[in-house]
Amino acid sequence: DSGVTQTPKHLITATGQRVTLRCSPRSGDLSVYWYQQSLDQGLQFLIQYYNGEERAKGNILERFSAQQFPDLHSELNLSSLELGDSALYFCASSVDAAFYNEQFFGPGTRLTVL
Amino acid sequence: SQQGEEDPQALSIQEGENATMNCSYKTSINNLQWYRQNSGRGLVHLILIRSNEREKHSGRLRVTLDTSKKSSSLLITASRAADTASYFCATDEGNNDMRFGAGTRLTVKP
């Protein structure tokens, strides 16, 4: 158990819809990272928040957005969903902002878009 | 997009044998990390090697880095059935992005 929690575990929705994925980092960790893992794209870094502020951006689509709240939990919002957005979405946390720190991954949310 | 390419894509060995996985990348990096992923679960950090290091050990794991060839290898010695998982390399180019390879699927038969 990494100490990172993600909800929900599974999400099934239709194209065009909007969903919110939630992540609670390990106690004491200030950084949260979001990743997408799909069969065709592999593992991709989406975005990082550090202590409430956006820190780094990867391959995140404009239809996706994230935020980190004062209690340090984070939400990833996916809108205008397409079939290709079906994937496992992981969040990870680390103690500070540097990418070279060990990241602790949550169990993931499996999103299925029908 | 992916930066690292793991080789082989899949590897099947017997318990007790050593497993070697390779990762090649394209641009200069600050460091390279190896992660393990059990089927459908989150990644687990294994080891980080910095660009000025050539070799690192952690238990049964040995990682090498050759920046001139832009490649790294992960060696798991005396493998166990519990080592069955996918292994990914991830590179930090220092531009606030982390790139993962496609992974090597390791199967260790008891």
PDB file of all heavy atoms in Angstrom, chain B residues 42-59:
ATOM      1  N   GLY B  42      -0.762   0.083  -9.705  1.00  0.00           N
ATOM      2  CA  GLY B  42       0.115   1.246  -9.759  1.00  0.00           C
ATOM      3  C   GLY B  42       1.570   0.867  -9.867  1.00  0.00           C
ATOM      4  O   GLY B  42       1.964  -0.257  -9.590  1.00  0.00           O
ATOM      5  N   LEU B  43       2.373   1.832 -10.288  1.00  0.00           N
ATOM      6  CA  LEU B  43       3.796   1.586 -10.437  1.00  0.00           C
ATOM      7  C   LEU B  43       4.492   1.669  -9.086  1.00  0.00           C
ATOM      8  O   LEU B  43       4.101   2.422  -8.204  1.00  0.00           O
ATOM      9  CB  LEU B  43       4.421   2.625 -11.371  1.00  0.00           C
ATOM     10  CG  LEU B  43       4.258   2.346 -12.851  1.00  0.00           C
ATOM     11  CD1 LEU B  43       2.845   2.623 -13.313  1.00  0.00           C
ATOM     12  CD2 LEU B  43       5.237   3.182 -13.660  1.00  0.00           C
ATOM     13  N   VAL B  44       5.556   0.897  -8.966  1.00  0.00           N
ATOM     14  CA  VAL B  44       6.380   0.915  -7.765  1.00  0.00           C
ATOM     15  C   VAL B  44       7.788   1.317  -8.174  1.00  0.00           C
ATOM     16  O   VAL B  44       8.380   0.715  -9.076  1.00  0.00           O
ATOM     17  CB  VAL B  44       6.387  -0.462  -7.075  1.00  0.00           C
ATOM     18  CG1 VAL B  44       7.358  -0.461  -5.898  1.00  0.00           C
ATOM     19  CG2 VAL B  44       4.990  -0.822  -6.609  1.00  0.00           C
ATOM     20  N   HIS B  45       8.286   2.350  -7.527  1.00  0.00           N
ATOM     21  CA  HIS B  45       9.628   2.831  -7.837  1.00  0.00           C
ATOM     22  C   HIS B  45      10.666   1.810  -7.383  1.00  0.00           C
ATOM     23  O   HIS B  45      10.607   1.305  -6.256  1.00  0.00           O
ATOM     24  CB  HIS B  45       9.853   4.160  -7.111  1.00  0.00           C
ATOM     25  CG  HIS B  45      11.185   4.774  -7.375  1.00  0.00           C
ATOM     26  ND1 HIS B  45      12.263   4.587  -6.541  1.00  0.00           N
ATOM     27  CD2 HIS B  45      11.616   5.562  -8.376  1.00  0.00           C
ATOM     28  CE1 HIS B  45      13.295   5.251  -7.022  1.00  0.00           C
ATOM     29  NE2 HIS B  45      12.923   5.852  -8.135  1.00  0.00           N
ATOM     30  N   LEU B  46      11.611   1.491  -8.274  1.00  0.00           N
ATOM     31  CA  LEU B  46      12.648   0.520  -7.932  1.00  0.00           C
ATOM     32  C   LEU B  46      13.972   1.202  -7.631  1.00  0.00           C
ATOM     33  O   LEU B  46      14.580   0.977  -6.585  1.00  0.00           O
ATOM     34  CB  LEU B  46      12.843  -0.472  -9.084  1.00  0.00           C
ATOM     35  CG  LEU B  46      11.661  -1.389  -9.394  1.00  0.00           C
ATOM     36  CD1 LEU B  46      11.965  -2.260 -10.600  1.00  0.00           C
ATOM     37  CD2 LEU B  46      11.306  -2.251  -8.187  1.00  0.00           C
ATOM     38  N   ILE B  47      14.419   2.027  -8.553  1.00  0.00           N
ATOM     39  CA  ILE B  47      15.763   2.576  -8.397  1.00  0.00           C
ATOM     40  C   ILE B  47      15.915   3.788  -9.319  1.00  0.00           C
ATOM     41  O   ILE B  47      15.294   3.855 -10.382  1.00  0.00           O
ATOM     42  CB  ILE B  47      16.811   1.486  -8.712  1.00  0.00           C
ATOM     43  CG1 ILE B  47      18.179   1.831  -8.151  1.00  0.00           C
ATOM     44  CG2 ILE B  47      16.859   1.166 -10.192  1.00  0.00           C
ATOM     45  CD1 ILE B  47      19.114   0.623  -8.091  1.00  0.00           C
ATOM     46  N   LEU B  48      16.696   4.734  -8.894  1.00  0.00           N
ATOM     47  CA  LEU B  48      17.013   5.918  -9.690  1.00  0.00           C
ATOM     48  C   LEU B  48      18.516   5.970  -9.884  1.00  0.00           C
ATOM     49  O   LEU B  48      19.276   5.735  -8.951  1.00  0.00           O
ATOM     50  CB  LEU B  48      16.541   7.182  -8.973  1.00  0.00           C
ATOM     51  CG  LEU B  48      16.861   8.529  -9.649  1.00  0.00           C
ATOM     52  CD1 LEU B  48      15.770   9.532  -9.334  1.00  0.00           C
ATOM     53  CD2 LEU B  48      18.210   9.079  -9.200  1.00  0.00           C
ATOM     54  N   ILE B  49      18.923   6.267 -11.113  1.00  0.00           N
ATOM     55  CA  ILE B  49      20.344   6.440 -11.387  1.00  0.00           C
ATOM     56  C   ILE B  49      20.533   7.800 -12.056  1.00  0.00           C
ATOM     57  O   ILE B  49      19.794   8.163 -12.971  1.00  0.00           O
ATOM     58  CB  ILE B  49      20.901   5.271 -12.241  1.00  0.00           C
ATOM     59  CG1 ILE B  49      22.423   5.382 -12.378  1.00  0.00           C
ATOM     60  CG2 ILE B  49      20.214   5.167 -13.600  1.00  0.00           C
ATOM     61  CD1 ILE B  49      23.087   4.097 -12.860  1.00  0.00           C
ATOM     62  N   ARG B  50      21.460   8.562 -11.538  1.00  0.00           N
ATOM     63  CA  ARG B  50      21.683   9.912 -12.059  1.00  0.00           C
ATOM     64  C   ARG B  50      22.622   9.862 -13.257  1.00  0.00           C
ATOM     65  O   ARG B  50      23.364   8.902 -13.440  1.00  0.00           O
ATOM     66  CB  ARG B  50      22.260  10.816 -10.975  1.00  0.00           C
ATOM     67  CG  ARG B  50      21.350  10.943  -9.773  1.00  0.00           C
ATOM     68  CD  ARG B  50      21.808  11.990  -8.787  1.00  0.00           C
ATOM     69  NE  ARG B  50      21.109  11.867  -7.529  1.00  0.00           N
ATOM     70  CZ  ARG B  50      19.857  12.281  -7.322  1.00  0.00           C
ATOM     71  NH1 ARG B  50      19.191  12.851  -8.289  1.00  0.00           N
ATOM     72  NH2 ARG B  50      19.284  12.126  -6.152  1.00  0.00           N
ATOM     73  N   SER B  51      22.610  10.918 -14.032  1.00  0.00           N
ATOM     74  CA  SER B  51      23.378  10.921 -15.282  1.00  0.00           C
ATOM     75  C   SER B  51      24.879  10.815 -15.052  1.00  0.00           C
ATOM     76  O   SER B  51      25.620  10.397 -15.941  1.00  0.00           O
ATOM     77  CB  SER B  51      23.074  12.180 -16.101  1.00  0.00           C
ATOM     78  OG  SER B  51      23.407  13.334 -15.367  1.00  0.00           O
ATOM     79  N   ASN B  52      25.349  11.170 -13.850  1.00  0.00           N
ATOM     80  CA  ASN B  52      26.788  11.071 -13.575  1.00  0.00           C
ATOM     81  C   ASN B  52      27.155   9.749 -12.877  1.00  0.00           C
ATOM     82  O   ASN B  52      28.293   9.568 -12.457  1.00  0.00           O
ATOM     83  CB  ASN B  52      27.267  12.250 -12.733  1.00  0.00           C
ATOM     84  CG  ASN B  52      26.578  12.307 -11.384  1.00  0.00           C
ATOM     85  OD1 ASN B  52      25.655  11.549 -11.118  1.00  0.00           O
ATOM     86  ND2 ASN B  52      27.018  13.211 -10.528  1.00  0.00           N
ATOM     87  N   GLU B  53      26.211   8.840 -12.779  1.00  0.00           N
ATOM     88  CA  GLU B  53      26.468   7.527 -12.191  1.00  0.00           C
ATOM     89  C   GLU B  53      26.491   6.490 -13.298  1.00  0.00           C
ATOM     90  O   GLU B  53      25.790   6.615 -14.306  1.00  0.00           O
ATOM     91  CB  GLU B  53      25.392   7.177 -11.153  1.00  0.00           C
ATOM     92  CG  GLU B  53      25.391   8.133  -9.963  1.00  0.00           C
ATOM     93  CD  GLU B  53      24.247   7.851  -9.006  1.00  0.00           C
ATOM     94  OE1 GLU B  53      23.097   7.723  -9.474  1.00  0.00           O
ATOM     95  OE2 GLU B  53      24.513   7.777  -7.790  1.00  0.00           O
ATOM     96  N   ARG B  54      27.248   5.435 -13.089  1.00  0.00           N
ATOM     97  CA  ARG B  54      27.345   4.388 -14.102  1.00  0.00           C
ATOM     98  C   ARG B  54      26.679   3.095 -13.668  1.00  0.00           C
ATOM     99  O   ARG B  54      26.260   2.289 -14.505  1.00  0.00           O
ATOM    100  CB  ARG B  54      28.826   4.124 -14.432  1.00  0.00           C
ATOM    101  CG  ARG B  54      29.483   5.278 -15.142  1.00  0.00           C
ATOM    102  CD  ARG B  54      28.850   5.527 -16.500  1.00  0.00           C
ATOM    103  NE  ARG B  54      29.234   6.810 -17.054  1.00  0.00           N
ATOM    104  CZ  ARG B  54      28.440   7.874 -17.034  1.00  0.00           C
ATOM    105  NH1 ARG B  54      27.236   7.824 -16.492  1.00  0.00           N
ATOM    106  NH2 ARG B  54      28.842   9.009 -17.564  1.00  0.00           N
ATOM    107  N   GLU B  55      26.618   2.885 -12.362  1.00  0.00           N
ATOM    108  CA  GLU B  55      26.052   1.630 -11.865  1.00  0.00           C
ATOM    109  C   GLU B  55      25.473   1.868 -10.474  1.00  0.00           C
ATOM    110  O   GLU B  55      26.011   2.659  -9.698  1.00  0.00           O
ATOM    111  CB  GLU B  55      27.156   0.570 -11.798  1.00  0.00           C
ATOM    112  CG  GLU B  55      26.666  -0.827 -11.524  1.00  0.00           C
ATOM    113  CD  GLU B  55      27.765  -1.864 -11.705  1.00  0.00           C
ATOM    114  OE1 GLU B  55      28.450  -1.826 -12.743  1.00  0.00           O
ATOM    115  OE2 GLU B  55      27.933  -2.691 -10.795  1.00  0.00           O
ATOM    116  N   LYS B  56      24.389   1.141 -10.211  1.00  0.00           N
ATOM    117  CA  LYS B  56      23.774   1.248  -8.898  1.00  0.00           C
ATOM    118  C   LYS B  56      23.162  -0.091  -8.527  1.00  0.00           C
ATOM    119  O   LYS B  56      22.653  -0.809  -9.394  1.00  0.00           O
ATOM    120  CB  LYS B  56      22.691   2.324  -8.912  1.00  0.00           C
ATOM    121  CG  LYS B  56      22.631   3.136  -7.647  1.00  0.00           C
ATOM    122  CD  LYS B  56      21.834   4.386  -7.845  1.00  0.00           C
ATOM    123  CE  LYS B  56      21.726   5.087  -6.496  1.00  0.00           C
ATOM    124  NZ  LYS B  56      20.908   6.299  -6.576  1.00  0.00           N
ATOM    125  N   HIS B  57      23.202  -0.397  -7.237  1.00  0.00           N
ATOM    126  CA  HIS B  57      22.663  -1.671  -6.771  1.00  0.00           C
ATOM    127  C   HIS B  57      21.615  -1.410  -5.701  1.00  0.00           C
ATOM    128  O   HIS B  57      21.708  -0.462  -4.928  1.00  0.00           O
ATOM    129  CB  HIS B  57      23.783  -2.522  -6.149  1.00  0.00           C
ATOM    130  CG  HIS B  57      24.861  -2.903  -7.101  1.00  0.00           C
ATOM    131  ND1 HIS B  57      24.993  -4.176  -7.616  1.00  0.00           N
ATOM    132  CD2 HIS B  57      25.853  -2.174  -7.662  1.00  0.00           C
ATOM    133  CE1 HIS B  57      26.027  -4.220  -8.431  1.00  0.00           C
ATOM    134  NE2 HIS B  57      26.573  -3.022  -8.480  1.00  0.00           N
ATOM    135  N   SER B  58      20.624  -2.295  -5.681  1.00  0.00           N
ATOM    136  CA  SER B  58      19.642  -2.277  -4.612  1.00  0.00           C
ATOM    137  C   SER B  58      19.126  -3.704  -4.448  1.00  0.00           C
ATOM    138  O   SER B  58      18.342  -4.183  -5.263  1.00  0.00           O
ATOM    139  CB  SER B  58      18.489  -1.326  -4.951  1.00  0.00           C
ATOM    140  OG  SER B  58      17.495  -1.375  -3.951  1.00  0.00           O
ATOM    141  N   GLY B  59      19.605  -4.375  -3.410  1.00  0.00           N
ATOM    142  CA  GLY B  59      19.208  -5.774  -3.214  1.00  0.00           C
ATOM    143  C   GLY B  59      19.600  -6.627  -4.405  1.00  0.00           C
ATOM    144  O   GLY B  59      20.760  -6.675  -4.804  1.00  0.00           O
TER     145      GLY B  59
END
